[in-house]
């Protein structure tokens, strides 16, 4: 099946088209996502309740094998189930694939929970993306989420403090260097992923002390993460000094303020290969955690608004009338082993 054939199928059966590869159908009492997942695969995804995989997994696998041979398989994700259908082996993918798959789910007693993922109440009127599927929710809950995020952002801008945020970023960076300091001293090894902890701790330190969540938060996070690397080198050098001269840790730490106040010490540390290596690792830490440390108060408002914008109408138990005779479908030759264990939003295109 080509992408154009997929879109024509969606139009001919009045599916709600979300994108070039995704559409929503209301059929057999289910609202499900029908997705183009490659030239040989169309997937069908529905939201699930807690422990549904334990309840229905084995029976669904057996029934799909009975009804489709090896032309269909099921995989379970976090809050959704996906059925993969072989569009090359199934002539009419909607009438002989999608609908029979939904009938298979209905036959084993599978139900989509009519519970709002925000408040847990029933009577949902819209659905939002959840993994590969669309989960029911109240529009009013989404609107409250946008309002709440906006109010929280406004409060932070009014009451937040750059000074307290800077102090928090500093304290966070100090906490963040502890794992690296321990591994360098105890194991004499530098672990690159531990340096990703430094910007994360600095960012959350800024946030914890109620720093104003603007783009300045990112600037402080970067600055104090780099200062944390200097501090890490100061402390490690002090440890080696204490060990070499056999002086106590307290005595060695008493030298720290003098080292920090000495510009030449900063210059000497900057020139060392270990410091440059640490900076490279911290830069990698920035890369690994950028999605988190670059968030501002407006980010939460934007996310809540985009989630509301992605909502589609939802009606529990809605059906579309469509004639289908199970006798019309005879499974073709094997197309796979049907043993999918974990779902993904897309099956690889071949």
């Amino acid at each position: 099946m080509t992408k154009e054939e997929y879109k024509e199928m969606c139009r001919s059966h009045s599916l709600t088209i979300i994108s070039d590869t995704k559409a929503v159908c209301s059929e057999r009492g289910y609202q499900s996502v029908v997705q183009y997942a490659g030239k040989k695969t169309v997937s069908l995804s529905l939201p699930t309740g807690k422990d549904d995989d334990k309840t229905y997994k084995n029976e669904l696998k057996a029934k799909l094998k009975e009804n489709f041979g090896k032309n269909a398989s099921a995989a379970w994700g976090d809050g959704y189930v996906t059925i993969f259908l072989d569009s090359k082996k199934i002539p009419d993918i909607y009438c002989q694939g999608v609908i029979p798959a939904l009938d298979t789910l209905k036959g084993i007693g599978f139900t989509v929970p009519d519970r709002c993922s925000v408040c847990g109440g029933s009577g949902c009127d819209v659905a939002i993306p959840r993994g590969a599927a669309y989960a029911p929710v109240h529009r009013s809950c989404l609107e409250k989420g946008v309002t709440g995020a906006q109010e929280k952002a406004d409060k932070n801008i009014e009451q937040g403090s750059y000074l307290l945020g800077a102090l928090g970023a500093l304290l966070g960076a100090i906490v963040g260097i502890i794992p690296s300091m321990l591994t360098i001293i105890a194991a004499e090894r530098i672990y690159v992923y531990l340096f990703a902890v430094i910007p994360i701790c600095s960012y959350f330190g800024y946030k914890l002390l109620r720093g104003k969540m603007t783009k300045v938060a990112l600037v402080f996070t970067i600055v104090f993460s780099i200062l944390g690397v200097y501090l890490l080198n100061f402390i490690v050098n002090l440890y080696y000094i204490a060990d070499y001269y056999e002086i106590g840790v307290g005595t060695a730490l008493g030298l720290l303020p003098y080292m920090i106040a000495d510009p030449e010490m900063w210059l000497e540390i900057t020139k060392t290969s270990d410091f440059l290596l640490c900076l490279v690792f911290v830069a990698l830490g920035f890369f690994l955690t950028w999605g988190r440390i670059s968030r501002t108060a407006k980010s939460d408002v934007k996310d809540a608004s985009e989630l509301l914008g992605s909502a589609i109408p939802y009606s529990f138990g809605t059906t579309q009338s469509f004639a289908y005779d199970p006798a019309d479908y005879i499974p073709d030759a094997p197309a796979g082993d049907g043993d999918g264990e974990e779902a993904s939003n897309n099956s690889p295109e071949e």
Side-chain angles (χ1 to χ4, degrees), residues 101-184:
L102 292 174
D103 285 338
T104 301
L105 287 169
K106 186 174 287 293
I108 65 173
F110 176 84
T111 58
V112 174
D114 181 31
R115 294 292 175 184
C116 175
S117 56
V118 177
C119 71
S122 59
C124 299
D125 52 352
V126 294
I128 55 174
R130 181 180 180 183
Y134 270 72
V137 70
H138 296 121
R139 175 175 288 277
S140 59
C141 288
L142 297 179
E143 292 171 345
K144 287 178 182 177
V146 175
T147 302
Q150 185 63 60
E151 290 176 350
K152 187 176 180 180
D154 293 341
K155 183 178 179 181
N156 174 264
I157 297 301
E158 292 175 5
Q159 301 180 5
S161 167
Y162 287 129
L163 181 61
L164 288 176
L167 177 60
L170 173 60
L171 294 175
I174 293 173
V175 172
I177 68 173
I178 292 176
S180 294
M181 180 182 67
L182 294 176
T183 57
I184 291 172

Side-chain angles (χ1 to χ4, degrees), residues 150-323:
Q150 185 63 60
E151 290 176 350
K152 187 176 180 180
D154 293 341
K155 183 178 179 181
N156 174 264
I157 297 301
E158 292 175 5
Q159 301 180 5
S161 167
Y162 287 129
L163 181 61
L164 288 176
L167 177 60
L170 173 60
L171 294 175
I174 293 173
V175 172
I177 68 173
I178 292 176
S180 294
M181 180 182 67
L182 294 176
T183 57
I184 291 172
I185 292 174
E188 296 185 351
R189 290 174 178 249
I190 296 177
Y191 291 97
V192 57
Y193 289 109
L194 290 180
F195 281 82
V197 174
I198 300 174
I200 280 286
C201 288
S202 183
Y203 172 82
F204 279 105
Y206 182 94
K207 191 173 182 179
L208 186 62
L209 265 63
R210 298 181 181 179
K212 194 171 291 190
M213 296 304 298
T214 63
K215 292 183 179 180
V216 174
L218 177 60
V219 175
F220 278 131
T221 297
I222 294 173
V223 169
F224 284 107
S225 294
I226 295 173
L227 288 177
V229 177
Y230 276 102
L231 182 59
L232 173 63
N233 280 266
F234 280 133
I235 294 175
V236 170
N237 285 334
L238 283 173
Y239 169 80
Y240 289 128
I241 290 172
D243 184 61
Y244 183 81
Y245 290 103
E246 297 183 350
I247 60 177
V249 175
T251 303
L253 288 176
L255 300 173
L256 183 60
Y258 300 100
M259 294 178 69
I260 293 176
D262 185 356
E264 291 187 4
M265 286 298 301
W266 289 78
L267 183 60
E268 288 299 319
I269 287 176
T270 305
K271 292 179 179 179
T272 63
S273 59
D274 284 346
F275 175 77
L276 295 176
L277 182 62
C278 289
L279 279 187
V280 172
F281 289 166
V282 169
L284 179 59
F286 287 139
F287 174 76
L288 294 174
T289 61
W290 187 261
R292 172 58 61 183
I293 66 175
S294 61
R295 291 186 64 83
T296 66
K298 291 182 178 180
S299 299
D300 293 334
V301 179
K302 181 181 178 182
D303 288 350
S305 299
E306 288 180 349
L307 189 61
L308 176 60
S310 70
I312 62 173
Y314 175 82
S315 180
F316 185 66
T318 293
T319 61
Q320 291 177 344
S321 175
F322 198 91

Side-chain angles (χ1 to χ4, degrees), residues 81-99:
V81 60
T82 297
I83 296 176
F84 296 102
L85 301 167
D86 191 327
S87 57
K88 282 201 170 183
K89 301 295 183 180
I90 302 174
D92 186 335
I93 194 64
Y94 193 82
C95 298
Q96 299 176 332
V98 171
I99 295 178

